[in-house]
Amino acid sequence: MRDTIGREITYLRISLTDLCNLRCVYCMPPEGVRKQEHRAILSFEEIEEIARAAVSMGVRKIRLTGGEPLVRRGMLSLCRGLREIPGVEELTLTTNGLLLPEMAEPLKAAGVDRINVSLDTLDPDKYRKITRIGSLDQVLAGIRAARDAGLTPLKLNCVLIGGFNDDEIPALAALTRDEPVEVRFIELMPIGHAVPFGPEAYLPCETVLERLPRLERAGQDGGVAERYRLPGAAGTIGLIRPLSRCFCRQCNRIRLTADGCLKPCLHSREELPLRGLHGEQLRAQLERAILHKPEQHAELSARSRSQAARDMNQIGG
Ligand code: SAM
Ligand code: SF4
């Protein structure tokens, strides 16, 4: 289905939980978040019903996110259910990677096509600092497990944070030299726990182009990333610039929160509750959400915050 300015909505992001086994400083409070009552979050049956309705209206790609999607118990059975929906062309997920050593193969067997793993630094001390509790070795083992299980092409999400990881741009980009991975540099967005960060933290992706002058254009990725390549490299570099180059005109996504609200736009306050709706009523509410998708969100910058009413762990990126 198309929205009011002709964007075809083909991509549904589903947050499975607000909970996470990390506490990234830009995303979560140090103490984590309180576990919601089981009935406060959508059951797998409810998620599947909503996904089926969305697919019947033109969604072809589904991404599971969170919080950390791999910590939701039984999520493999949800993956199998989503995979069986006729019309789903791609089932993916975004994960911090910690649980991949044991879950990569089962995820592949459950029908997940490929995954994005978040990796902001290659330095074990800095990894601990940014995630507060994580171990870099564990993520690297998870990335290897994902590659071995065939959850490829792998994408590695790196949030650029001035003064924290800009010195690692060349080292992170070098991961693409021999392996067909995509390292995606993402501009830090002023949402939730990132809002109090100082202006120096909000680095534009232009910095990547300055630090890597030999990068060559490799086209768009069909989504929101601009794609580049180091000369002769097996993999690619993606730049995602929500602040410095607004991509609202290309936005083809809608988002489902773990408690059953549909967000037409990541950075808008607007949410439409879907819980309790079935059949035509559910489809009508989805249609309403798509038609309510704002043409563009308010400007984002180091000094103007997102208008989203939730933290990032409650939306899923
Ligand atoms: N737990 C999973 C993970 O970290 O990959 C999935 C959920 S996480 C909210 C999804 C993505 O959003 C991660 O790549 C994370 O780094 C990114 N993210 C979180 N807060 C952000 C912010 N303020 N600006 C830009 N990206 C952010
Ligand atoms: Fe957890 Fe992902 Fe948020 Fe980090 S970015 S705290 S891994 S949900």
Side-chain angles (χ1 to χ4, degrees):
M1 177 179 163
R2 289 186 187 272
D3 71 1
T4 49
I5 58 162
R7 292 172 296 196
E8 198 183 351
I9 306 304
T10 56
Y11 181 8
L12 172 65
R13 297 176 65 104
I14 304 175
S15 173
L16 296 189
T17 175
D18 299 350
L19 301 175
C20 186
N21 45 0
L22 289 182
R23 303 278 182 273
C24 299
V25 295
Y26 49 74
C27 181
M28 278 266 191
E31 67 282 9
V33 291
R34 192 157 357 120
K35 191 169 179 196
Q36 288 176 292
E37 271 185 64
H38 193 61
R39 61 193 152 86
I41 60 170
L42 292 176
S43 66
F44 291 159
E45 291 72 24
E46 288 174 300
I47 294 176
E48 238 185 271
E49 185 180 0
I50 293 168
R52 272 182 198 279
V55 171
S56 77
M57 296 171 69
V59 161
R60 297 193 289 274
K61 170 174 170 180
I62 295 178
R63 176 178 300 278
L64 303 180
T65 175
E68 173 49 41
L70 300 187
V71 304
R72 173 105 187 236
R73 204 174 306 150
M75 62 83 67
L76 290 169
S77 73
L78 175 70
C79 294
R80 282 190 286 273
L82 294 174
R83 179 77 275 179
E84 279 169 16
I85 300 175
V88 172
E89 290 172 10
E90 195 174 35
L91 179 61
T92 66
L93 63 88
T94 300
T95 170
N96 61 34
L98 293 191
L99 295 175
L100 284 174
E102 58 267 32
M103 288 188 73
E105 280 194 17
L107 283 167
K108 186 72 189 178
V112 174
D113 294 296
R114 53 173 200 83
I115 61 173
N116 290 23
V117 183
S118 298
L119 180 68
D120 296 336
T121 171
L122 294 169
D123 176 317
D125 293 334
K126 282 161 78 177
Y127 187 80
R128 171 63 54 111
K129 202 169 155 207
I130 198 77
T131 63
R132 293 198 182 98
I133 48 178
S135 140
L136 179 68
D137 279 349
Q138 220 175 319
V139 188
L140 296 179
I143 292 172
R144 285 193 295 275
R147 186 192 54 205
D148 294 347
L151 291 165
T152 51
L154 266 179
K155 293 185 180 172
L156 304 178
N157 287 356
C158 172
V159 179
L160 264 185
I161 307 171
F164 173 72
N165 59 5
D166 45 323
D167 58 331
E168 292 189 72
I169 291 171
L172 286 156
L175 298 174
T176 67
R177 280 209 179 283
D178 302 320
E179 296 231 23
V181 296
E182 177 157 302
V183 172
R184 319 184 102 200
F185 292 103
I186 304 171
E187 290 175 349
L188 178 69
M189 293 180 273
I191 179 170
H193 296 273
V195 171
F197 285 25
E200 64 290 349
Y202 290 89
L203 272 193
C205 273
E206 207 55 38
T207 317
V208 176
L209 300 174
E210 286 162 13
R211 304 276 165 92
L212 302 172
R214 296 177 66 222
L215 278 184
E216 297 162 352
R217 273 312 282 257
Q220 285 297 129
D221 74 338
V224 296
E226 290 162 29
R227 215 172 237 167
Y228 292 82
R229 192 185 291 278
L230 288 169
T236 51
I237 313 269
L239 302 186
I240 302 183
R241 317 187 186 207
L243 277 69
S244 65
R245 195 167 290 173
C246 167
F247 43 73
C248 296
R249 298 257 358 149
Q250 285 91 49
C251 182
N252 60 353
R253 49 189 77 180
I254 48 177
R255 295 172 165 84
L256 178 63
T257 64
D259 58 2
C261 290
L262 201 86
K263 282 185 68 66
C265 168
L266 167 59
H267 293 297
S268 141
R269 219 158 238 290
E270 188 164 15
E271 300 184 350
L272 288 88
L274 296 184
R275 247 190 153 171
L277 301 178
H278 306 281
E280 272 316 304
Q281 278 187 325
L282 175 57
R283 283 171 56 88
Q285 184 79 320
L286 283 169
E287 189 176 314
R288 214 167 286 132
I290 292 172
L291 294 176
H292 267 80
K293 198 170 163 61
E295 200 169 320
Q296 196 170 318
H297 56 67
E299 195 205 325
L300 292 176
S301 74
R303 287 181 180 78
S304 59
R305 62 173 298 175
S306 167
Q307 289 170 7
R310 298 182 187 238
D311 289 346
M312 207 53 156
N313 68 303
Q314 300 173 305
I315 306 173

